[in-house]
Amino acid sequence: LPPIAMPARRLLTALRAFDGEMDPRNLLLLLQLLRALLVRAERAAALGGSDALDVVVPDVLEALTCYFPISFVPPAGSEHSITAQHLLQALVRVLRASARFAPAVLKMLASKLRADDETADGLHAQALQALAAVAPAYGAGPLADHAYALGEALAVHLGRVGALGADAADGPAAGGGGVLGIATCLAALAAAVS
């Protein structure tokens, strides 16, 4: 690879070094490192017009999406340990660091919001949080390309929450943030598409 492609190569090397990592402390560090390397690779690609980053994006996405949704539960009695929310926020920061991820990430989030099983409440909450965070970062173009699928997924989710009744509107089935979480997602989508 030419010198301009070195940031993309570093990104891929770091990704492979942590392949299958399960320790939350290491995973949190990995996600922070991947975000920093991705930002650097994006800058290098913008300056040099290199397509090396496009070559590694599928590998990076494949490795990252296997961690979604975050299923980690901290051990009992560990007040100052890493939480699932810490890991989710770090993962979402990586996913929003590059608009190159938008098509795959938006498709994944739409499918997660459509999931309909008894264990999906946490999944829906994480998908709503992730969507609210990535939508403004990706911008109008990628969101417009996926607006129908995302709108349909949110409508399915809202219908499911509505069927549970008013008491459930702010509970876990509504996506953790309830009405506020859904409103944040819709506002991000509307702002990006308009």
Side-chain angles (χ1 to χ4, degrees):
L1 294 174
I4 197 73
M6 286 305 291
R9 182 180 290 180
R10 286 186 191 109
L11 178 65
L12 199 53
T13 301
L15 187 69
R16 289 181 178 150
F18 284 93
D19 187 32
E21 182 59 55
M22 299 302 282
D23 185 310
R25 297 164 298 185
N26 293 341
L27 188 55
L28 190 58
L29 290 173
L30 165 68
L31 293 169
Q32 292 167 351
L33 174 64
L34 288 177
R35 183 183 177 283
L37 291 171
L38 184 59
V39 167
R40 186 170 279 192
E42 280 286 355
R43 261 192 242 127
L47 292 174
S50 171
D51 61 352
L53 186 54
D54 288 329
V55 173
V56 301
V57 160
D59 291 332
V60 174
L61 272 170
E62 183 180 338
L64 291 173
T65 56
C66 74
Y67 289 106
F68 192 90
I70 302 292
S71 58
F72 172 71
V73 177
S78 56
E79 298 172 17
H80 303 293
S81 71
I82 294 170
T83 66
Q85 189 63 32
H86 291 134
L87 293 171
L88 177 63
Q89 289 171 350
L91 177 60
V92 168
R93 282 187 199 112
V94 178
L95 295 175
R96 66 178 274 155
S98 176
R100 297 168 201 259
F101 292 158
V105 170
L106 294 173
K107 183 178 177 182
M108 174 193 70
L109 293 175
S111 85
K112 301 295 184 189
L113 283 170
R114 278 191 227 99
D116 189 22
D117 64 39
E118 295 165 9
T119 62
D121 289 349
L123 172 63
H124 295 152
Q126 289 186 29
L128 284 170
Q129 289 177 35
L131 183 58
V134 300
Y138 289 162
L143 285 170
D145 293 343
H146 295 85
Y148 181 80
L150 289 168
E152 184 180 72
L154 286 168
V156 167
H157 182 69
L158 284 169
R160 192 179 309 112
V161 171
L164 295 173
D167 292 339
D170 285 318
V179 174
L180 181 59
I182 294 168
T184 301
C185 290
L186 292 174
L189 285 167
V193 174
S194 62

